[in-house]
Amino acid sequence: MRPLPGARTGPAGGRLAGLRLTGLGGGLFCAALMFLLGWLDEVLCGGSLTLYGVLFLPVCALTALWLRGGDLLTAPVVVPIAFAVGLLPVADGGGGIPGTLMGLVTALATEAGWLYGGTLIAGVLALVRRVLEVAARRRST
């Protein structure tokens, strides 16, 4: 495993500096992290949807920044899916599967602002990274 060209090397000898996630890896990372944060929110704070939305924004940014260059366009696709996955432990649902689904749909409807904001963050960061990569490639040729 070697670092990406132009990647900064840190005190660890550069072993982690150039690591990037694929599109699938980014989706799994984001979904798993949002599920974990949703579960922690439910256990520690009683399922605060506002806290969940606030925690979603940095996860979106981190996902968009950690994807490799060829998979940048997957960032605005995987973060809404991860938002829904993470809502499963937080969504207020009683009465089995139908109650959980109704709680999930209600939470998605009422927290759409956080969902759109996080998707916008991921999309803008991915777009800026892509523009910078294309500009750097043009300068080198």
Side-chain angles (χ1 to χ4, degrees), residues 54-106:
V54 169
L55 292 172
F56 176 64
L57 299 179
V59 171
C60 291
L62 185 61
T63 302
L65 292 173
W66 210 357
L67 286 173
R68 66 182 187 179
D71 294 326
L72 282 174
L73 295 179
T74 61
V77 175
V78 299
V79 294
I81 296 168
F83 186 83
V85 168
L87 274 178
L88 288 173
V90 179
D92 191 24
I97 293 176
T100 302
L101 286 176
M102 185 57 73
L104 181 64
V105 169
T106 303

Side-chain angles (χ1 to χ4, degrees), residues 1-101:
M1 175 173 32
R2 64 176 208 254
L4 293 174
R8 294 185 202 163
T9 57
R15 295 183 67 195
L16 298 177
L19 290 181
R20 296 284 185 196
L21 294 173
T22 62
L24 178 61
L28 291 173
F29 163 76
C30 192
L33 188 56
M34 287 313 301
F35 188 82
L36 176 67
L37 290 174
W39 179 77
L40 286 173
D41 180 21
E42 177 66 30
V43 169
L44 299 176
C45 300
S48 169
L49 290 173
T50 303
L51 176 63
Y52 178 78
V54 169
L55 292 172
F56 176 64
L57 299 179
V59 171
C60 291
L62 185 61
T63 302
L65 292 173
W66 210 357
L67 286 173
R68 66 182 187 179
D71 294 326
L72 282 174
L73 295 179
T74 61
V77 175
V78 299
V79 294
I81 296 168
F83 186 83
V85 168
L87 274 178
L88 288 173
V90 179
D92 191 24
I97 293 176
T100 302
L101 286 176

Side-chain angles (χ1 to χ4, degrees), residues 109-130:
T110 58
E111 303 303 314
W114 295 111
L115 177 62
Y116 293 151
T119 305
L120 182 66
I121 288 171
V124 167
L125 285 174
L127 184 63
V128 167
R129 280 191 56 208
R130 183 70 181 152

